[in-house]
Amino acid sequence: MKFIIDHDLHVHTHLSPCSGDPTQTPERVIADAGAAGLKTVCITDHYWDELVSPGWDFYGGQTYERLSSLLPLPKKEEFELLFGCEADVSHDRVIGISPARYDAFDFISIPLTASSRRKPS
């Protein structure tokens, strides 16, 4: 059986502090993903819900208002671009997204790695 990769559910745009690329827009994500043969991509910019505390400096300004500035997402025939986020987990295991925001996203990524449990600033 041939393994086919046709989706990527963890893509950052210029809105994520780690991107460093002002040209990484949803339109560019679609173009690059299409060139790679992907059929589904999810924007998952870093996010710490302003309704949840504590946050830390890395997430300063990564509000829902900022992330939703990408909406409405561009559309392309035979390609699905989803609106998601990458929330995090605090050192005391608080998930950085409130239940009030769950339905605002198509997909929510929550990394549960040791590096994501750093102490807030």
Side-chain angles (χ1 to χ4, degrees), residues 2 6 14 17-18 34 39 46-47 49 67 70 73 83-84 86 88 90-91 93 96 100-101 103-105 107 110 119:
K2 184 177 179 182
D6 64 355
H14 65 284
C18 64
K39 302 289 184 206
H46 289 282
Y47 175 59
D49 193 337
L67 270 58
L70 298 176
L73 293 175
F83 178 65
E86 179 181 352
D88 211 331
S90 72
H91 71 288
R93 300 189 187 271
R101 291 280 192 221
D103 291 336
F105 298 97
F107 184 86
I110 302 172
K119 289 188 175 187

Side-chain angles (χ1 to χ4, degrees), residues 45-48 59 85-89 95-97 108-111:
D45 286 317
H46 289 282
Y47 175 59
W48 190 274
Y59 287 97
C85 67
E86 179 181 352
D88 211 331
V89 179
I95 297 175
I97 185 168
I108 299 168
S109 172
I110 302 172

Side-chain angles (χ1 to χ4, degrees), residues 74-96:
K75 302 219 183 279
K76 183 177 179 185
E77 193 173 318
E78 298 182 22
F79 183 87
E80 186 173 23
L81 184 60
L82 303 172
F83 178 65
C85 67
E86 179 181 352
D88 211 331
V89 179
S90 72
H91 71 288
D92 54 353
R93 300 189 187 271
V94 173
I95 297 175

